[in-house]
Amino acid sequence: MSEKLEKKRILLVEDSRLTAAMVADFLVKNGFEVEVVPTGEEVVQRIEKGMIPDLILMDIELAGEMDGIEAADIISKQQDVPIVFLTANTSKEIIEKIKRVKAYGFVLKDTDRIALLSTIDMAMRLHEASVYAAMFERLFETSVNELYIFNPESFRFVVVNRAATSNLGYSYRELEAMTIFDINPQLDTETLREIIKGLMHGKQERVVLNTVHRRKDGSLYYVEAYLQLFEYRRSKYCMMFAVDVTERKKVEDELDESRKQYVELAQEAPIGILKCDVEGNIVYINKKALEILGSPGVEETSSINFLTFPLLVEAGLSQKLKECMENNLSQTVEKSYTSKSGKNIWLRIHIKPLLNKDGMVKGAQIIMDDITEKKEMERQLYEMSITDPLTNAYNFRYFTKKLEEEILRAQRYGESFSLIMFDMDRFKSFNDSFGHQVGDLILKATVDMVKGRIRRTDTLARWGGEEFIILLPNTKLEDAVKLAEELRQKLMQLKVGNDDSVTASFGVVEYQEGDTPDSIVKRVDAMMYRAKNDGRNCVRY
């Protein structure tokens, strides 16, 4: 069974409560967490306070002094958060404003909900895969696809894209005053009305026309035009995508070049990339993946099966891959992996199922990154946060946490534990006579000696300057006293100078019902000071 994925968080900025409720409800039903704010000022404040959602879906026209574009401009200068505009205004001015801010596109309100999900999903994917952004931007800017939105009653254009104005030779303003018939001499009113009628009645979701367009200079070019309807604020609009098929060869050449660039980029990418079919057979692997997996070459690696290879099965990667392909589910996981050569590494792995033209899973793309250094750094930082830098014993904060846990365990299960606290005798005189460097060496040697005697389940911490405390789970008082006496005697074997032995005063107590961390520490501290008062170098309990 697949692991439960953390839901993506969307911050919806919309001042219309009705629109906000409808969009939020739809997004929640599709697996997102949604929070709604009504103004640009409020979303900026949220970001400034450290709230970082996975995506901001923002209306452009908002209540308050700040509109969505101004808010997006401020946010983009503070945090790298993908922003998608949800707008009812598709004017040239708005579109130009959107182009000037760092956003991931816009969606018309009340548009096809699948398009909304698609836009959100694409925005998140583009944000995650920003390393490929430049390549995709270049492909977009050189696209020959034309987009028109027109009124299905008057047939007048509402908005067109840059490719359309470039191919036709008309300006935006000129096209806004024209109808579909002004650029398409083969269409007539009756034919187009019948096509739109069929779309409205649901006979077809879209219609493909092989027709011609006429440029401003009168020249004609062949296009494949795709027509479909959508509803926006209770009004119907017709959307038409048109491809200039006379440039098809040019587009194919550009796509071939882009594929070559993609393959080259993938081969030299600093992350591991591989693909497998639905049976788990590897069909593509780049250089970094070979390096990460510890494989000598493509031929040997391609012969393994990702679902059955023992090392991958043992690491749990095969099961994750199987779950993703069976459920058509993308996942990102972190796993420890031991290569064939015995090298142990940590991997961050993103698994994305690949679909065929019928929408069925045909395999998966696996992107892996070696995060061993990151994991080691996290471990070292954690060790630094819980240990005393001089002696490498645990620090006060960590010991307090372990003591609280042990008290809860004793209360729940009736188990007993004991504490030993000891303080180095006349430690100041050692520092005064031999210097602080010698004093530090005494403390380190003391900790090494105690660590060599206590159990792995015991906890030794530096309580103060020359004071130490030991937590002994499942240990009765008499056993703790024996250990303290043994440590006292071992400590005397440490010599400073020619004659001086290192000694310490020990206090020992056992947990009593009703003890708190403060009360039991006070009791063991009192026992230790009793040892001090009784002449030092002894154990009191």
Side-chain angles (χ1 to χ4, degrees), residues 291-533:
E291 177 186 330
I292 290 173
L293 295 175
S295 176
V298 176
E299 184 176 350
E300 178 179 337
T301 304
S302 297
S303 67
I304 74 172
N305 185 287
F306 219 90
L307 295 178
T308 60
F309 189 60
L311 293 177
L312 298 174
V313 172
E314 183 179 347
L317 300 179
S318 299
Q319 182 62 29
K320 286 296 177 188
L321 175 62
K322 183 178 180 181
E323 291 171 0
C324 289
M325 291 196 294
E326 287 181 349
N327 300 298
N328 189 16
L329 181 69
S330 295
Q331 283 197 49
T332 300
V333 296
E334 293 184 358
K335 288 286 186 181
S336 176
Y337 172 75
T338 302
S339 69
K340 188 176 181 180
S341 63
K343 182 181 178 182
N344 184 263
I345 58 176
W346 272 93
L347 299 177
R348 179 186 289 115
I349 301 171
H350 177 71
I351 303 172
K352 174 188 173 184
L354 300 175
L355 308 180
N356 61 21
K357 63 180 181 180
D358 298 320
M360 303 297 291
V361 174
K362 66 177 183 179
Q365 175 178 277
I366 303 164
I367 297 177
M368 58 180 65
D369 193 12
D370 186 344
I371 58 170
T372 307
E373 290 186 5
K374 174 178 175 292
K375 284 291 185 179
E376 177 60 21
M377 184 177 297
E378 289 175 353
R379 185 195 66 77
Q380 292 178 3
L381 289 174
Y382 175 72
E383 289 292 331
M384 290 172 60
S385 72
I386 64 173
T387 56
D388 169 54
L390 174 63
T391 64
N392 208 32
Y394 289 114
N395 58 25
F396 172 87
R397 182 173 56 183
Y398 180 80
F399 183 87
T400 302
K401 176 175 175 291
K402 296 295 289 184
L403 179 58
E404 291 172 349
E405 293 174 355
E406 196 61 35
I407 288 176
L408 290 175
R409 187 177 294 109
Q411 292 171 346
R412 179 173 298 177
Y413 302 109
E415 297 177 353
S416 182
F417 69 91
S418 296
L419 293 184
I420 298 175
M421 179 179 283
F422 64 95
D423 181 82
M424 312 299 290
D425 294 332
R426 299 184 178 89
F427 189 75
K428 185 176 182 301
S429 66
F430 285 118
N431 281 333
D432 293 341
S433 301
F434 302 102
H436 286 280
Q437 186 175 6
V438 172
D440 291 346
L441 291 174
I442 292 173
L443 295 178
K444 293 177 183 178
T446 299
V447 168
D448 290 342
M449 181 273 291
V450 175
K451 282 185 174 181
R453 173 58 185 84
I454 62 177
R455 303 166 299 182
R456 294 184 63 182
T457 55
D458 301 332
T459 303
L460 167 66
R462 187 180 182 187
W463 194 249
E466 60 268 15
E467 288 184 355
F468 296 88
I469 191 167
I470 308 172
L471 172 63
L472 304 166
N474 297 313
T475 304
K476 294 293 185 179
L477 180 64
E478 54 268 28
D479 294 324
V481 170
K482 290 179 181 178
L483 175 61
E485 179 60 29
E486 180 182 340
L487 294 176
R488 185 188 69 81
Q489 294 180 20
K490 283 180 176 290
L491 193 59
M492 291 177 63
Q493 298 173 15
L494 297 177
K495 299 290 185 179
V496 181
N498 295 324
D499 301 317
D500 293 330
S501 294
V502 177
T503 65
S505 300
F506 289 77
V508 186
V509 297
E510 183 179 352
Y511 169 77
Q512 297 175 357
E513 186 175 353
D515 260 335
T516 65
D518 285 341
S519 67
I520 193 170
V521 168
K522 285 179 180 178
R523 289 197 296 112
V524 74
D525 185 68
M527 288 296 102
M528 182 189 71
Y529 274 97
R530 180 177 167 187
K532 287 280 187 185
N533 294 332

Side-chain angles (χ1 to χ4, degrees), residues 102 265 284 464:
K102 186 178 180 181
L265 179 62
Y284 172 82

